[in-house]
Amino acid sequence: MNRTLYKYFSMKMPLKFRWSLNVTIGLLLGVVVMMNLSLGIPRLAKFSAIDERLWTYDRIPQFWRAIEKGEWKKTDINDKPGITVALTSGVGLLFSNPKSTEMLRTTSKDVNDIAKIYQVDTSFRLPIYLFTLCMMPVFFWLIRRLFESNRIAFFATAFIFLSPILLGISLIVNPDSLLWIFLPLSLVSFLIFLKEED
């Protein structure tokens, strides 16, 4: 059945383009990206995380102020590895000023105030969310190298990037939002090293 469909699509395509497994997987990964975006983008602003304000209003601006002034000791912003968060989420400083909404957090708010808070939250969360989404091809490539199977790599990548827990943590300005990317990638890279060392 699969061979028949493959031959059918191969015959119908122009000479310059032939349907292949790589094209199929690319399209399926595109569907996963679209599903991830449709689930993630609407939720970017409309929630509140516990210690996120410490990053948005204190640590990330402090990190970039310290770099601007050359005060390198002040770039040590947290006991967790927070530099990656400051580097990634700090892009939000180009689009919004968190200090302009800091006082609004603890006072009564109207619709305009809430919109300003949403804008600041979105500005800082979106870079982290997009970074995690951009790591999808890296996950696929490394898992494929480990298992030598496109099918396993696709399903593993799809399940990872459509996991509600991992999707939710990707929307928070916190070191954990990047830890779930770097930790598994490090582990898979190590397993590939062990496998290919022989």
Side-chain angles (χ1 to χ4, degrees), residues 96-141:
S96 62
N97 178 12
K99 290 294 180 187
S100 65
T101 61
E102 187 172 16
M103 295 305 295
L104 297 176
R105 293 275 177 179
T106 56
T107 60
S108 59
K109 297 171 270 298
D110 60 20
V111 176
N112 293 329
D113 295 336
I114 293 172
K116 289 177 185 176
I117 292 172
Y118 283 171
Q119 182 194 3
V120 170
D121 288 342
T122 301
S123 298
F124 281 84
R125 291 171 181 163
L126 186 61
I128 288 182
Y129 175 58
L130 292 179
F131 175 79
T132 59
L133 199 55
C134 287
M135 296 305 286
M136 182 187 292
V138 179
F139 267 90
F140 176 81
W141 180 69

Side-chain angles (χ1 to χ4, degrees), residues 1-184:
M1 181 68 179
N2 288 341
R3 288 183 180 178
T4 308
L5 287 173
Y6 177 76
K7 285 180 182 177
Y8 173 77
F9 282 113
S10 296
M11 289 186 299
K12 295 292 183 184
M13 295 295 163
L15 290 175
K16 291 183 179 178
F17 178 80
R18 289 282 184 241
W19 200 268
S20 68
L21 182 61
N22 290 337
V23 172
T24 304
I25 288 185
L27 289 173
L28 290 173
L29 285 176
V31 170
V32 173
V33 169
M34 296 306 294
M35 291 173 68
N36 190 295
L37 286 170
S38 68
L39 294 168
I41 294 292
R43 291 170 173 78
L44 261 178
K46 299 182 179 179
F47 69 92
S48 181
I50 297 296
D51 66 342
E52 197 175 36
R53 63 180 181 76
L54 297 173
W55 290 94
T56 304
Y57 295 103
D58 294 327
R59 295 171 183 164
I60 294 171
Q62 173 197 327
F63 176 83
W64 287 104
R65 274 195 306 270
I67 286 185
E68 182 183 12
K69 295 177 182 177
E71 298 173 345
W72 307 113
K73 288 185 178 180
K74 292 185 179 178
T75 59
D76 182 18
I77 54 174
N78 193 290
D79 56 343
K80 295 180 180 179
I83 291 177
T84 52
V85 175
L87 289 173
T88 308
S89 189
V91 175
L93 289 169
L94 298 173
F95 303 102
S96 62
N97 178 12
K99 290 294 180 187
S100 65
T101 61
E102 187 172 16
M103 295 305 295
L104 297 176
R105 293 275 177 179
T106 56
T107 60
S108 59
K109 297 171 270 298
D110 60 20
V111 176
N112 293 329
D113 295 336
I114 293 172
K116 289 177 185 176
I117 292 172
Y118 283 171
Q119 182 194 3
V120 170
D121 288 342
T122 301
S123 298
F124 281 84
R125 291 171 181 163
L126 186 61
I128 288 182
Y129 175 58
L130 292 179
F131 175 79
T132 59
L133 199 55
C134 287
M135 296 305 286
M136 182 187 292
V138 179
F139 267 90
F140 176 81
W141 180 69
L142 287 175
I143 294 170
R144 184 173 63 179
R145 276 188 66 181
L146 180 62
F147 292 103
E148 297 177 4
S149 168
N150 285 318
R151 186 173 294 160
I152 292 173
F154 167 72
F155 281 110
T157 305
F159 286 136
I160 289 168
F161 280 86
L162 293 177
S163 164
I165 294 172
L166 297 180
L167 177 59
I169 204 167
S170 300
L171 304 175
I172 299 172
V173 182
N174 190 289
D176 299 332
S177 61
L178 296 176
L179 184 64
W180 82 262
I181 291 284
F182 294 123
L183 188 64

